[in-house]
Amino acid sequence: MKKLLKPVDGGERYELRCPKAMPQASTFLWNRNMLLQLNCRGFAVAQHMQPEPSKYSHAPLLEHKTFMQPEQPQYAHHPGRFAYIRDRETGSVFSAPHEPVRAEPDDFVFSAGRSDAQWRLRKNDIGIRMSVALPLDDVAELWTIEVHNDSGKPRRLDLFPCFSIGYMSWMNQSAAYSSELGGIVARSITPYQKLEDYPHIKTLKDWTVLLHGERPSAWEACRDVFEGEGGIQHPDGVENGGLHNGDAIYETPIAALQYRLNLAPGECREYRFVFAPVRNGEQAKVLRTTYLASGGFEAAQAEVKAFQEQRQGCISISTPDAELDNFVNHWLNRQVFYHGDTNRLTTDPQTRNYLQDAMGMAYIEPGHSRAAILQTLAQQKADGALPEGVVLSNGSELKYINQVPHTDHCVWLPITLQTYLDETGDYALLDEWVESHGESLSVLERVTRAMRWLINNSDHRGLSLIAQGDWCDPLNMVGHQGKGVSGWLTIATVHALTIWADITKAVRLENLSVEMRTAAEKFTAAAQQHLWDGDWFARGISDAGTALGVSSDEEGKIWLNPQSWALMSGVATPQQQEKIKAAVREHLETPFGPMVLAPSYTSMREHIGRVTQKHPGTGENGAVYNHAGMFCIYALYAIADSDRAFTELRRIIPGPGDEHCLQRGQLPVFIPNYYRGAVKQFPRTAGRSSQLFNTGACSWLYRIIVEQLFGLRGIVDDGGAGGTAGGLQVAPQLPAHWQRADVTRHFRGATFDIQMQRDDSVDKTTLTVGDKVVTDGIIRDIEAGKCYSVKVLLPGALSSESGAHSSGSGAFSSESRALSPESKAFSAEVGTPDVAPGDSK
Amino acid sequence: MKKLLKPVDGGERYELRCPKAMPQASTFLWNRNMLLQLNCRGFAVAQHMQPEPSKYSHAPLLEHKTFMQPEQPQYAHHPGRFAYIRDRETGSVFSAPHEPVRAEPDDFVFSAGRSDAQWRLRKNDIGIRMSVALPLDDVAELWTIEVHNDSGKPRRLDLFPCFSIGYMSWMNQSAAYSSELGGIVARSITPYQKLEDYPHIKTLKDWTVLLHGERPSAWEACRDVFEGEGGIQHPDGVENGGLHNGDAIYETPIAALQYRLNLAPGECREYRFVFAPVRNGEQAKVLRTTYLASGGFEAAQAEVKAFQEQRQGCISISTPDAELDNFVNHWLNRQVFYHGDTNRLTTDPQTRNYLQDAMGMAYIEPGHSRAAILQTLAQQKADGALPEGVVLSNGSELKYINQVPHTDHCVWLPITLQTYLDETGDYALLDEWVESHGESLSVLERVTRAMRWLINNSDHRGLSLIAQGDWCDPLNMVGHQGKGVSGWLTIATVHALTIWADITKAVRLENLSVEMRTAAEKFTAAAQQHLWDGDWFARGISDAGTALGVSSDEEGKIWLNPQSWALMSGVATPQQQEKIKAAVREHLETPFGPMVLAPSYTSMREHIGRVTQKHPGTGENGAVYNHAGMFCIYALYAIADSDRAFTELRRIIPGPGDEHCLQRGQLPVFIPNYYRGAVKQFPRTAGRSSQLFNTGACSWLYRIIVEQLFGLRGIVDDGGAGGTAGGLQVAPQLPAHWQRADVTRHFRGATFDIQMQRDDSVDKTTLTVGDKVVTDGIIRDIEAGKCYSVKVLLPGALSSESGAHSSGSGAFSSESRALSPESKAFSAEVGTPDVAPGDSK
């Protein structure tokens, strides 16, 4: 039996060989102006920005405009891109990719590429290849359909490319063939009722066109006429062998074309199409000229390739885990870049997301991160709070969840800033002036103000107020009366303040640093006093004083985030660390990664809120919520539990192995925002992917891989003057079963070819750069443009428990990691209490 | 060949014998809490009020919440109520009613009843009967499915009732079989994000249940499992012969049951189901107890029948046009009652609609009309303006079009009031006190204030300002800068003021009456000076001074409404009347009724607005917009052009004859809001029904039939004291080709059995009540509870042109019709200028 799933082209493509095994399996393509999600069966969700997300291939009814939903269900008339093939001699019909006919193919491949998607299928000795790519900037799908006669005899076929246009508008929709533009042109007017909407409405690209390279012999633009009684699965227009050049007159449009083919044995025909929204015929003509002229597709793809090659990220790896290599080298960097490049195709990204997406971009396009930090601070409120969302374009407004007050946004600011500073050494950023609400302050002043906002956002006990949510958006009724507190946020505040204490210390602002550290210690003390439940930290305390996420709860007994952050922030004592790890293992661990809470709530708790109303095992109500999973992995590495960290990390990436992917229903070409949890309550659906590729998880995973797994983190010299760049710290935490790993790391303009190897002859990590041994593990005096050859010898494999002290970052002294708060937790554990804020607990 | 369409059961049902000829053909059932629209193929749209319209059988994706859209397209996964039948011996499968399998039936009947819908079909000697009715108040569908073995041999069958539940929520959805409740129970939580929505959300009926009478042998609650690769048309669960009792776990639910039948020749089995939204299991249990106990359906239907019998309307007719009789006696009254009874299932009906729906209710349940007038006035603004919509329930708000400022709402107040007063003689209403915005005024004062608002809503020329719309909602850019005027509204204001002048005169408020009449004359003069275009009246003049609806326009050259209202209001001089009639005939007449404007606009005109953006031939952009069509018919009767009026009237009701219905795609069980116009531009789609049964057209048609065609109108005595009831005027305007008509008219508690007959021996209309001849055409001194036998002899058939003077209301003197403004226009024509406001023009 053929392998169901496999990477090809050195991992640059990923192939699925059955349309039925994972019907929701999907990939996505994007440019800055559009997004195209495609599933293996030919269904598609396309959005373009004008500037709000809009559709040009619609559902069959007026769709609710909202954010992307998890596990979005498909249905017979789901928008898609199809090609029906009819044998004119036998009348037999099948379709590519698989929908709508769903004929059993003789051969099927769905091939997700980094910048295209392809399908190859064979049925009755006819081969079909469909592929799509996007241009660098234009909103347009560039489609190729090839038909190949694989039989030994001439074949007479009809090819019917058929692209969904759907229900465009109740005000005005129509479609017809245009000889002048060369294709089906569907026109509509976005429905509206208010006069004040008109100026915007009239700027929209309300037409959808399917432009062809080669003129078809017939076409149909009216969906119902095309389908007739046969329906979408067996359209009359196809089954009866001919289209009749009809129009859609205030009827649901479709773009169906017919080509008559007489193929000699072995003969192949290729057809090209551009499917796109436009505002008028002129724009359609430009698309035709640009892409349907000879070499147009090739030029577009070359441009995209050149663009992508500049944005591959800062690391490429070769390890004993080839599937991990593929994912990190080709897909994870791509997903991280997608987030930063497009801001998830929103005009008002949630501040928390925007900052973390910028964190990931520090490794790919640091200039973007810098700009995002400045953009965020330019919308800081006078009291230091950050807004719910960062408004990116004129006229856009805060929507959906960004209308609900959350209290965690400031936490992410020092985290992203630290990552950016580590990666670039660009301490000049701290002195940039940023104007907001008529006040001009430096970045340093603004971040300080944000930290003071966090400090002030606390109650009489010193616990952080939650308002209507923190990281967990639907945790909206714990503190809506103004009294309830967040256990996680209290602990996360420690983490944020500690980072800021470190950074300010590095730039010699001793007083400020001490202020931050002292505040962190107070929050730590409050957390210890009010939140420690005996075996783990509570998730919060409601307005009425009821604790949640505690052992006396029957549901939502333990939440992952307070535990992860207690580990990474140093809030947890060594004894607590052990208890926490045991509790997480017992209550939250699954084969798909850790659940965000357990047991999932099964009914509303009015002192907790909306999270308890989500379906058990989905989203924040007990899914393997990968963003939270990443915090957990980050925390495990931070306390040098490298093997356990790697185990969790590996679980979160689909595969290796078909079965692992099958239960998820997802290809390893992105990290989804969640896998279904509630594994005991609902084993049938446990592990199923949300198919949502918008997630803060990818930035964190990239960071974890660069800075923790391979331990290749930028660092500022402890003793340097403010702004001193420091160097590249080398402190890998490879899993014990890896004997070697080769890593190429791009850092501050230089390239490091790094060989990591276990060697029984060393008893601690040994670093050689060129022919020089580096004793403190930090490569300094890096010259941009230069290539360094680096060798790292690691002690032989040890178990995680006994090896924690000798593997990983612990091999070097804590002084060299002044900006690394997690190292302090670890340092505390190994007995250097002088710098640890949480050591006395 | 069988007749495609026919009425049965004395017209109480209407049958369609093919599922393919008119695939959108539909009927609707309702009670005060819900609405169920069903098409002939089994698709359904159900809404219930909590208090805003909600769904319990959803689309397969998150649907946009909006008003009901015209020509709503259907699609494979459109919600529906289906039953698959599988022959266990042959494996052959078909479904009732027709979707989703779409097998060619051997016999098919879709039968729309006044209080139920039925399907009967036969395939492979198996008969299926499906029927549904609604209870009087509960939100629940009561379904019966019968399977009949029509073959001469035993049959082994599987029956799979299958009801769509659809995509309920991205927050939480699931479904499972409940033994306790006896059926499939699908649970969900309406998605929300804001805390302030929670108190409302938690009151919603978020579960959907399919409760069964008889326990099935198996079931499936997960749509994708039920369908498998076969899809909705050939579900694996059916094709493979068995369901596996599966649940939906955050998956799209379906309610599919399986019954194993072994039917002897001739044997029949009946199954009953209740399909409904509920808030919890308790509510489901109540539904089960109420309806699935023995005799439950029968009791519910008896209750509905009793309720309906009290609300049959004020007229029943027997004419040479049997199809018209059916429509008027069984369907039109039903549609009128639906509007008033449910307020179109909105919580904020547009004031214009609310008042006109109340106008229709004056003939069915006058107490409702009275309450609606009072409710409207209780929301009158201090300056006399009426609000955009009338808010009917606490917490509901003005939505959609009711957020746009229109200037016509006051026009409809005297029209509805006049109808109510004519029908009831309840002049005491004028003295009722109504509090609004802290001010207590009588109805009379409030209506006067509304009329003065209309008077003041005019520019320096004396033309009525349009703001962002009048009757024509999307005429939103003529006057948005505050200067543009409405030609129609100017003329309609004359009509409204004249009615109020008549009513105030009747109650002896001479000064007020003169004030109104004087104002009406000023508007008339202004209309004549600024709006008469040579052959017709202009539609308006824009902010910038550009006229529209004039002969120099290439599109939108002539609009129907200004012409109709110029005829009915007396604004048009006799010479103008002739020109108008000729112009309407030339430019607007179609086989389906008159178009609302022509030629339809094909592109945006920024001095006109959104109407020009609607698809040509749809809605206000040149459809046969039946509400406007009714004004035209009303006006033609008002000027006694009875034959032409009847011709137009008859065109607007689908049929008689299959072809007439086929082009419309609609059964004659309701008047839709439009038929497609733009007959020259788009002949293929001309005449197609919108399938929207919400329309002001039905109230007007009812009024026209009662008061104009049969001329049976309530009237106040001209010489009576204020509040004198007058009597029933008898002034039929039968079409020339009718020799007779029998009418039963209920009026102020009495019943009138009226025989109308053409008789060559009379040269004017002659009225006999019992054995007394009534010379002035008015039956007075009516005693409630009494039954009057009335005979009307009419002069022989004459052509419309020559017969206008002797047929119809013109037969009686104008003095007896002091409250009838339209009679004045007619009187003017026949030369009694003393009472005519428009006579000097």
Side-chain angles (χ1 to χ4, degrees), chain A residues 606-654:
Chain A
E606 295 196 347
H607 70 291
I608 299 177
R610 206 162 56 83
V611 60
T612 64
Q613 292 183 294
K614 291 201 169 187
H615 193 281
T618 70
E620 295 90 341
N621 189 12
V624 175
Y625 204 97
N626 288 327
H627 193 195
M630 294 304 161
F631 301 149
C632 177
I633 296 166
Y634 183 86
L636 289 169
Y637 276 119
I639 60 164
D641 195 347
S642 344
D643 276 0
R644 184 156 168 202
F646 185 80
T647 301
E648 296 295 354
L649 183 160
R650 203 58 194 78
R651 281 175 174 163
I652 276 175
I653 305 167

Side-chain angles (χ1 to χ4, degrees), chain A residues 62-66 69 400, chain B residues 61-65 170:
Chain A
L62 200 62
E63 202 171 340
H64 184 60
K65 278 200 182 183
T66 186
Q69 291 155 39
Y400 311 127
Chain B
L61 70 164
L62 200 61
E63 202 171 341
H64 186 59
K65 279 201 182 184
W170 55 258

Side-chain angles (χ1 to χ4, degrees), chain B residues 486-640:
Chain B
S486 163
W488 166 77
L489 184 57
T490 303
I491 295 167
T493 295
V494 173
H495 189 61
L497 295 174
T498 305
I499 292 172
W500 195 232
D502 291 342
I503 294 175
T504 49
K505 188 178 175 207
V507 296
R508 308 276 179 186
L509 295 166
E510 298 292 345
N511 289 345
L512 185 54
S513 179
V514 168
E515 176 193 338
M516 292 297 135
R517 206 168 297 279
T518 307
E521 283 164 10
K522 280 191 187 160
F523 278 96
T524 300
Q528 287 290 0
Q529 187 183 343
H530 300 289
L531 298 170
W532 180 250
D533 184 51
D535 287 302
W536 60 78
F537 284 97
R539 183 60 176 88
I541 304 170
S542 76
D543 287 316
T546 309
L548 57 137
V550 291
S551 55
S552 55
D553 284 328
E554 283 193 22
E555 295 179 342
K557 187 188 281 291
I558 174 168
W559 291 57
L560 182 59
N561 279 356
Q563 322 320 325
S564 306
W565 289 67
L567 300 184
M568 76 171 81
S569 64
V571 166
T573 64
Q575 294 72 23
Q576 286 175 331
Q577 289 181 15
E578 293 310 312
K579 287 191 166 187
I580 283 172
K581 287 202 290 179
V584 167
R585 175 158 282 163
E586 180 186 344
H587 295 286
L588 300 175
E589 196 172 282
T590 83
F592 316 103
M595 296 184 288
V596 69
L597 64 80
S600 292
Y601 295 97
T602 57
S603 64
M604 179 59 164
R605 303 293 196 284
E606 295 196 347
H607 69 291
I608 299 178
R610 206 162 57 82
V611 60
T612 64
Q613 292 183 295
K614 289 201 171 187
H615 193 280
T618 70
E620 295 89 342
N621 189 13
V624 176
Y625 204 97
N626 287 327
H627 194 196
M630 295 304 163
F631 301 149
C632 176
I633 296 166
Y634 183 86
L636 289 168
Y637 276 119
I639 60 166

Side-chain angles (χ1 to χ4, degrees), chain A residues 74 192 198 223 606 613, chain B residues 74 192 198 223 606 613:
Chain A
Q74 278 137 21
Y192 72 103
Y198 172 64
R223 189 199 67 178
E606 295 196 347
Q613 292 183 294
Chain B
Q74 277 138 22
Y192 73 103
Y198 172 65
R223 188 199 68 179
E606 295 196 347
Q613 292 183 295

Side-chain angles (χ1 to χ4, degrees), chain B residues 356-395:
Chain B
Q356 288 174 89
D357 294 349
M359 177 178 92
M361 282 296 257
Y363 304 106
I364 299 178
E365 202 171 85
H368 175 99
S369 308
R370 190 181 212 273
I373 291 165
L374 293 172
Q375 174 92 341
T376 305
L377 290 176
Q379 294 177 34
Q380 186 177 35
K381 297 175 190 174
D383 66 356
L386 295 182
E388 292 299 325
V390 178
V391 173
L392 298 183
S393 70
N394 273 340

Side-chain angles (χ1 to χ4, degrees), chain B residues 8 33 54 69 136 173 327 407 426 605 629 662 670 730 753 838:
Chain B
V8 298
N33 299 309
S54 310
Q69 291 155 40
L136 190 59
Q173 61 175 358
F327 186 72
T407 47
D426 172 24
R605 303 293 196 284
L662 274 173
F670 61 86
V730 181
D753 285 323

Side-chain angles (χ1 to χ4, degrees), chain A residues 158-476:
Chain A
D158 278 321
L159 167 69
F160 299 89
C162 175
F163 285 48
S164 309
I165 297 175
Y167 186 68
M168 304 174 86
S169 167
W170 54 259
M171 271 185 67
N172 196 331
Q173 61 175 1
S174 64
Y177 182 81
S178 164
S179 288
E180 189 199 353
L181 300 177
I184 299 281
V185 178
R187 302 173 193 215
S188 75
I189 292 169
T190 293
Y192 72 103
Q193 292 193 304
K194 293 186 185 164
L195 180 67
E196 50 271 35
D197 292 334
Y198 172 64
H200 175 63
I201 293 287
K202 72 175 179 178
T203 67
L204 299 178
K205 289 180 168 180
D206 268 346
W207 296 13
T208 301
V209 295
L210 178 65
L211 306 175
H212 53 65
E214 184 170 326
R215 190 180 157 89
S217 60
W219 57 82
E220 179 58 60
C222 178
R223 189 199 67 178
D224 288 347
V225 170
F226 175 70
E227 293 185 8
E229 280 288 303
I232 183 74
Q233 200 168 359
H234 305 288
D236 287 2
V238 171
E239 298 281 340
N240 301 340
L243 305 185
H244 300 293
N245 304 348
D247 297 347
I249 304 172
Y250 195 62
E251 295 162 308
T252 302
I254 200 167
L257 306 176
Q258 178 174 14
Y259 293 93
R260 309 218 111 189
L261 282 72
N262 295 306
L263 294 183
E267 191 182 348
C268 178
R269 293 292 302 274
E270 185 198 273
Y271 300 89
R272 291 186 175 189
F273 306 94
V274 174
F275 188 56
V278 294
R279 205 158 82 74
N280 51 39
E282 284 312 304
Q283 292 190 345
K285 279 183 198 164
V286 171
L287 290 179
R288 161 168 292 285
T289 310
T290 310
Y291 299 110
L292 289 170
S294 172
F297 279 24
E298 291 77 1
Q301 276 163 296
E303 201 178 12
V304 168
K305 209 174 180 87
F307 178 83
Q308 284 190 345
E309 271 165 16
Q310 298 304 310
R311 289 155 185 90
Q312 296 278 27
C314 70
I315 200 167
S316 109
I317 66 172
S318 168
T319 73
D321 187 337
E323 294 254 2
L324 179 71
D325 297 351
N326 284 334
F327 186 73
V328 171
N329 295 337
H330 303 303
W331 300 102
L332 179 60
N333 50 358
R334 177 182 185 268
Q335 189 180 6
V336 172
F337 179 66
Y338 153 77
H339 281 76
D341 192 37
T342 66
N343 303 301
R344 309 184 184 198
L345 289 151
T346 57
T347 56
D348 65 329
Q350 203 172 13
T351 304
R352 180 196 309 136
N353 295 342
Y354 185 62
L355 285 170
Q356 287 173 89
D357 294 350
M359 177 178 91
M361 283 296 258
Y363 304 107
I364 298 178
E365 203 172 84
H368 174 100
S369 309
R370 190 181 212 272
I373 290 165
L374 292 172
Q375 174 93 340
T376 305
L377 290 177
Q379 295 177 32
Q380 186 176 34
K381 297 176 190 174
D383 66 355
L386 295 182
E388 292 298 325
V390 179
V391 173
L392 297 183
S393 69
N394 274 338
S396 74
E397 52 186 22
L398 296 182
K399 292 181 289 292
Y400 311 127
I401 198 68
N402 289 347
Q403 298 176 339
V404 176
H406 297 73
T407 47
D408 66 310
H409 295 300
C410 291
V411 161
W412 310 98
L413 186 55
I415 293 173
T416 293
L417 189 62
Q418 178 191 39
T419 306
Y420 173 78
L421 294 175
D422 286 352
E423 192 64 12
T424 62
D426 172 25
Y427 278 76
L429 172 60
L430 299 180
D431 299 325
E432 289 271 351
W433 292 90
V434 181
E435 172 125 359
S436 179
H437 292 97
E439 202 178 0
S440 199
L441 296 174
S442 70
V443 167
L444 192 134
E445 287 166 325
R446 291 210 168 276
V447 178
T448 299
R449 199 177 271 197
M451 294 305 98
R452 287 178 181 148
W453 186 90
L454 280 177
I455 292 168
N456 292 331
N457 179 51
S458 57
D459 73 353
H460 60 284
R461 295 166 292 198
L463 301 172
S464 295
L465 296 165
I466 187 171
Q468 290 181 30
D470 56 20
W471 175 91
C472 183
D473 292 309
L475 198 54
N476 66 337

